[in-house]
Amino acid sequence: MKKTLLSALFCAATLAFTAPSFAATTSETQGIQASPEFYAKANLSALKGKKIGITIQSLRNAYWAGVMAALEDVLSANGAKFTIVECDDKSAKQVAQIENFISSGCDFILVHPSDAAAVEDACAEARKQGIKVMCWDDPMTNTDGNWILNNTNLGIAIGELAGNFINEHYTTDKKAKVAVLGFPQTKILLEREEGIREGMKNVADGKYEIVASQAALRPNEAQTAIETILQREPDCKVVTGIGAGPMIGADEALQIATNGKIPEDMGVFTTDVTKQQLQHLSDPTYPAKGIIGFEGSDVDTATSCASMFALILENKLPEHNVIRGVAPITKENVEKISSGMK
């Protein structure tokens, strides 16, 4: 697959989790840890007849397109009226969208902010008008609830998944050569990358060597990065990364390098959940071995999100910040997750 097509179709879902640099680290944010039991407390009938406005950064990446399609189904099934718009990652446009939601009489607004600071005032005005407001991703102030990730812990989970693989295939005498694909320009992705390093050390210290660390967010960037790394480190067989783009691009590079004959000691480990990642995980001609996902499939995430809506609407959210859970996706459960993708 051509790199330009990879970039266009699979712009890393990691972009969907980008927070502005002013925010406190997500690992420092206090809140309640979500779980299936937590979401089960929600009564989705609270959505019936409610007018809901949703503004997100972009619908043009695989993660958000899938989750929003699933959320439409959940909201429709529970009798809600809703509008979903994208702001094209422009804060001024997003402020205008929130203002439109206010003037149109919405009962509830979900904002996935391009710049959380830029939408604080608009969200405050919504709340003054009696509208419930939820933020997806950032620990905002002027909301009734925030749904966020602890990016350090997410990175640790990726690193430990890779570390367990290293323990299975490498020793202190035969160390794995590891490449780390990060994006330190963005604060939360730097947290995630640092967590990856911590997680690998936690479980496989002394059995690997990080031979390359490179910024690569999109698939074409990751493919180029791994191709370059392999020129000087042909035995680099383990890749960790901060999102979908690094997995998809690294998979392509390593598939080409091996002619699709993936050795058992080669693996790629990242986060995000897109159809292409899951397809790679199921295909033995790709080296994808594990993904740290969130609630599960698109349908699982959408149902959990709708549960947040219901808890907030009924004033039953126990804390302002809800920390999303993470869980591994491997060949053992990929079929189940794939069945709930849009």
Side-chain angles (χ1 to χ4, degrees):
M1 184 177 289
K2 293 182 180 180
K3 297 177 193 175
T4 53
L5 183 58
L6 284 170
S7 180
L9 293 179
F10 299 102
C11 178
T14 311
L15 286 171
F17 299 109
T18 301
S21 59
F22 71 88
T25 64
T26 54
S27 61
E28 295 172 346
T29 301
Q30 300 298 310
I32 186 169
Q33 182 64 54
S35 65
E37 294 74 22
F38 171 83
Y39 297 121
K41 295 176 182 178
N43 181 3
L44 293 183
S45 65
L47 302 174
K48 187 174 182 179
K50 298 299 183 183
K51 187 173 183 179
I52 298 172
I54 299 169
T55 169
I56 67 169
Q57 289 176 11
S58 174
L59 284 168
R60 289 171 292 180
N61 72 56
Y63 177 82
W64 283 101
V67 170
M68 288 297 114
L71 185 58
E72 287 182 2
D73 291 345
V74 176
L75 294 177
S76 295
N78 287 281
K81 303 172 184 178
F82 58 89
T83 300
I84 301 175
V85 295
E86 59 182 338
C87 72
D88 301 315
D89 214 9
K90 297 175 182 177
S91 57
K93 183 175 181 178
Q94 192 162 52
V95 168
Q97 290 169 340
I98 295 169
E99 291 172 344
N100 286 339
F101 290 151
I102 295 170
S103 62
S104 68
C106 280
D107 301 296
F108 187 99
I109 295 173
L110 169 65
V111 58
H112 172 240
S114 172
D115 179 343
V119 299
E120 284 279 10
D121 288 346
C123 289
E125 181 58 32
R127 296 181 74 211
K128 286 180 184 177
Q129 300 294 325
I131 301 169
K132 300 291 187 182
V133 180
M134 170 179 152
C135 176
W136 184 326
D137 257 5
D138 291 88
M140 286 181 60
T141 299
N142 292 307
T143 61
D144 296 278
N146 300 317
W147 203 36
I148 57 180
L149 287 166
N150 181 321
N151 279 279
T152 298
N153 286 347
L154 174 57
I156 289 171
I158 298 167
E160 290 183 346
L161 192 62
N164 289 330
F165 177 82
I166 290 168
N167 283 335
E168 291 177 12
H169 298 286
Y170 296 91
T171 67
T172 54
D173 295 324
K174 181 194 171 186
K175 294 183 180 181
K177 292 191 174 183
V178 179
V180 179
L181 300 180
F183 199 73
Q185 298 92 320
T186 298
K187 187 174 183 179
I188 64 169
L189 300 184
L190 176 59
E191 292 176 39
R192 200 174 293 181
E193 179 182 344
E194 291 172 343
I196 290 172
R197 294 171 185 271
E198 182 179 342
M200 284 194 294
K201 187 174 182 180
N202 286 348
V203 299
D205 194 21
K207 295 182 182 179
Y208 67 91
E209 175 189 2
I210 296 178
V211 297
S213 181
Q214 193 160 330
L217 191 60
R218 296 174 174 82
N220 63 322
E221 297 168 345
Q223 183 172 344
T224 298
I226 295 301
E227 289 171 347
T228 302
I229 291 165
L230 289 175
Q231 290 176 14
R232 66 174 187 271
E233 296 287 351
D235 293 327
C236 178
K237 295 182 180 180
V238 178
V239 179
T240 61
I242 44 76
M247 171 167 276
I248 294 166
D251 275 352
E252 296 291 343
L254 291 168
Q255 185 194 53
I256 292 168
T258 62
N259 293 315
K261 297 177 181 178
I262 307 299
E264 64 176 13
D265 59 351
M266 177 177 285
V268 179
F269 303 87
T270 67
T271 187
D272 295 335
V273 186
T274 67
K275 276 187 176 180
Q276 191 175 14
Q277 285 175 286
L278 297 177
Q279 288 165 357
H280 284 199
L281 199 56
S282 302
D283 186 341
T285 69
Y286 285 106
K289 291 292 191 297
I291 303 164
I292 297 297
F294 312 114
E295 293 74 29
S297 67
D298 290 336
V299 171
D300 295 325
T301 295
T303 303
S304 298
C305 181
S307 296
M308 285 286 297
F309 291 6
L311 289 168
I312 291 171
L313 283 165
E314 294 194 313
N315 298 313
K316 292 182 178 179
L317 199 67
E319 293 191 35
H320 191 214
N321 295 318
V322 176
I323 312 300
R324 298 170 67 193
V326 298
I329 303 171
T330 64
K331 63 181 180 181
E332 283 73 24
N333 62 346
V334 66
E335 185 175 349
K336 178 181 178 182
I337 300 296
S338 296
S339 68
M341 298 300 287
K342 287 292 183 176

